């Protein structure tokens, strides 16, 4: 495992800090760039969240493709412009259309888990086992959107998680620097999460199937 493949807490903090747009919006390119790093975290967690990592990869690819397309690129500049476009064009009701708003909602839910897990992880000591805080973070977030068989498998796999110190060594480039920057990263992650949450609430999109 090379250093470049590990999870860069400092990079996520910087990207999320820069991706807030105007007073109530989020730049989609920056959001997806931060999520590229976050997906490394899911991947490095191993079998516990392997199913999440593959799903996140497909969601990132869908949204990146919309940004690259000449016909939709500007409409997907921010999360607000994306939602507005898809609502005005009645695309959320089109079963033949892969909705960006629906796709991003899945990433948004994953971000809530990442925030809660890393927040609880930061409160542990180096020798503390991590399965308890991972399970509680999962049950409070992603589990609400997963079928029983997925929830059961995830919770069982969590018991194989190492101590806080070992987990950070597994996923982070520089553990001491990651611990130092983590509070800042959590702050910026929460700011982005809250903005997206408000946008989906304002447009009544939390229940998108």
């Amino acid at each position: 495992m090379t250093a470049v493949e590990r999870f860069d807490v400092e990079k996520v903090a910087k990207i999320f800090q820069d991706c807030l747009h105007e007073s109530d919006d989020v730049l989609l390119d920056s959001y997806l760039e931060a999520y590229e790093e976050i997906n490394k975290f899911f991947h490095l967690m191993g079998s516990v969240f392997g199913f999440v990592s593959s799903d996140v990869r497909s969601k990132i690819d869908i949204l990146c493709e919309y940004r690259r397309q000449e016909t939709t690129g500007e409409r997907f500049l921010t999360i607000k412009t994306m939602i507005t476009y898809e609502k005005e064009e009645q695309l959320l009701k089109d079963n033949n259309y892969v909705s960006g708003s629906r796709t991003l909602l899945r990433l948004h839910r994953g971000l809530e888990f990442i925030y809660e897990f890393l927040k609880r992880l930061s409160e542990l000591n180096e020798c503390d086992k991590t399965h308890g805080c991972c399970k509680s973070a999962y049950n409070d977030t992603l589990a609400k959107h997963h079928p029983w068989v997925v929830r059961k498998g995830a919770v069982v796999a969590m018991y194989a998680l190492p101590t806080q110190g070992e987990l950070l060594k597994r996923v982070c480039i520089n553990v001491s620097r990651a611990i130092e920057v983590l509070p800042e990263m959590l702050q910026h992650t929460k700011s982005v999460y809250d903005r997206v949450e408000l946008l989906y609430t304002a447009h009544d999109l939390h229940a998108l199937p």
Side-chain angles (χ1 to χ4, degrees):
M1 183 66 65
T2 59
V4 71
E5 294 174 304
R6 295 180 186 270
F7 177 56
D8 191 336
V9 174
E10 193 166 8
K11 184 176 180 180
V12 175
K14 179 66 168 64
I15 297 170
F16 272 152
Q17 181 181 21
D18 294 341
C19 85
L20 298 179
H21 182 63
E22 297 182 341
S23 63
D24 61 350
D25 206 357
V26 174
L27 293 168
L28 186 56
D29 284 348
S30 297
Y31 185 94
L32 295 175
E33 184 183 358
Y35 232 108
E36 289 284 1
E37 280 298 315
I38 289 169
N39 199 37
K40 292 178 186 177
F41 180 86
F42 282 127
H43 182 71
L44 289 162
M45 288 277 284
S47 61
V48 182
F49 286 101
F51 69 96
V52 174
S53 178
S54 60
D55 188 53
V56 165
R57 176 76 268 151
S58 69
K59 301 295 186 282
I60 292 173
D61 290 345
I62 288 169
L63 291 167
C64 284
E65 181 58 29
Y66 278 132
R67 279 292 291 140
R68 282 194 294 266
Q69 290 177 9
E70 186 176 343
T71 55
T72 57
E74 285 305 305
R75 300 178 189 276
F76 282 71
L77 179 63
T78 73
I79 293 177
K80 185 194 284 187
T81 59
M82 174 185 70
I83 290 173
T84 301
Y85 163 66
E86 293 191 336
K87 288 191 74 175
E88 288 180 348
E89 297 297 320
Q90 301 291 307
L91 293 171
L92 297 177
K93 299 177 182 178
D94 185 349
N95 292 330
N96 296 317
Y97 174 75
V98 179
S99 165
S101 300
R102 183 181 292 108
T103 300
L104 189 125
L105 178 59
R106 273 56 181 177
L107 296 181
H108 177 62
R109 292 168 177 172
L111 189 62
E112 183 183 25
F113 165 74
I114 281 288
Y115 172 80
E116 289 296 336
F117 179 42
L118 290 179
K119 180 172 179 289
R120 298 172 200 199
L121 189 71
S122 70
E123 296 166 355
L124 298 179
N125 294 316
E126 184 179 359
C127 295
D128 291 340
K129 292 286 284 183
T130 56
H131 71 264
C133 75
C134 185
K135 180 181 177 182
S136 65
Y138 176 72
N139 285 338
D140 289 345
T141 58
L142 281 177
K144 295 181 288 186
H145 310 291
H146 288 162
W148 179 86
V149 66
V150 172
R151 297 198 305 269
K152 181 68 173 177
V155 169
V156 169
M158 287 173 198
Y159 283 98
L161 287 174
T163 62
Q164 188 242 40
E166 287 300 316
L167 181 62
L168 291 176
K169 288 176 186 175
R170 179 194 297 179
V171 303
C172 295
I173 294 173
N174 182 320
V175 174
S176 59
R177 181 60 178 161
I179 292 172
E180 179 184 346
V181 178
L182 189 54
E184 180 185 353
M185 179 249 177
L186 289 171
Q187 176 188 342
H188 295 311
T189 301
K190 187 67 163 60
S191 296
V192 170
Y193 176 85
D194 287 347
R195 282 204 180 185
V196 177
E197 181 77 1
L198 285 172
L199 283 168
Y200 274 76
T201 299
H203 291 276
D204 194 22
L205 296 180
H206 284 293
L208 280 174

